[in-house]
Amino acid sequence: MDGKHDQTFMGILQEEGQVIPFLDSLFGFLYRGTDFFRLQNEQSTKLGFPPGVAEQIVLKVLRKWETKARQDEEKYYRLRNSSADEEPNCIREEVVETEPSESDQDAKTESSCSIVETEKKWTKEPSTSDSYNGAVRKGYQWSQTISDLDVQVTVPTFVTKAKHLDVNIDAERLCVKLCGVPEEYVTEYPEKTALLEGDLCYKTKKEESTWTLIPGHEVQIHLEKCQERWWDALLTSEEKINLQNIDASRPMDDLRQEEQMKIQELMWAEQRKRMGQLDPRHQPVADILKKAWNQEGSPFKGMEYNPSMINFDGNFMPDQDMPS
């Protein structure tokens, strides 16, 4: 497939929100609009497939793209390792030419050992989102969600190319230093001056880390957490923030499908409760109770049926006097 249908699929995926509902819609279409799930019990009929063939087709296509994904990963690591062998202490750059502009500047993004260099206009304005659920520190600021972190490190104005920086991102340590400092700045910024250096509070996924240079302004670093948890500091050496004051809410779309369904169920039950309606889970018991309400020997005999008197989650306590 050459990707000509990607736009259509992307629209469906955005509407469904997650991969599982997307695949469910896809197979639902095959069920409603094709004979894909129809069993071909007789050789004379041309509709459907013999038992097991449809599953084999799905697995064959899955294996095809799974193999391609593994090949792409191997190619990536092979190139990264060969690049590291050829230039152990340097950053390998790939230049993407763009139309020159007086107001545009070069921007660079590194993932592991490679950088793509492009021209990028500085349009960023100060924003509290840069320290959202994080903190502003001397020379840098950081923000976080439950699963990742973003760090902005201020750089001197002469830092316009990757050769001016030595950025090392390890699973448990972060270091940004100056290198290749122009002679006129050496007095103020000695070689290997650390802009940010220290041990991270918790472990991160090194292979998922990226950094971007906004020339003359800052280095933007993105880190993926190994565990979903809130950090009270970026580095072990810095002052801790009060986690009681952060916004710990999570977008519902970030939750697993099962968790979203459970929340929706609880919300629906709570809404019914506020409307004076019974929780659907207790309806079968309520139906039995209604039939036995005025039967001989019932403690509610002679009273109007009122299911709100019963606590279906535990022992019931009548909210009004029982008849003697």
Side-chain angles (χ1 to χ4, degrees), residues 108 122 124 139-141 150-155 159 165 167 169 176-177 195-196 210-222:
K108 299 187 178 183
W122 176 258
K124 180 180 176 182
Y140 70 96
Q141 53 191 348
D150 288 292
V151 187
Q152 290 83 35
V153 184
T154 304
V155 299
V159 179
L165 290 173
V167 180
I169 305 175
V176 180
K177 292 184 178 181
L195 302 178
L196 175 64
T210 61
W211 66 269
T212 303
L213 171 62
I214 307 300
H217 291 274
E218 68 181 20
V219 175
Q220 299 175 348
I221 303 172
H222 180 76

Side-chain angles (χ1 to χ4, degrees), residues 258-293:
E258 298 79 7
E259 294 173 334
Q260 292 187 38
M261 293 176 62
K262 185 61 177 178
I263 291 176
Q264 291 173 349
E265 178 185 342
L266 293 175
M267 291 173 61
W268 183 46
E270 181 62 24
Q271 183 180 10
R272 289 176 61 89
K273 182 178 179 180
R274 291 179 179 178
M275 296 172 61
Q277 299 176 347
L278 194 63
D279 189 321
R281 296 172 299 175
H282 301 144
Q283 191 61 52
V285 178
D287 292 340
I288 297 175
L289 179 63
K290 185 175 183 179
K291 293 179 180 179
W293 191 269

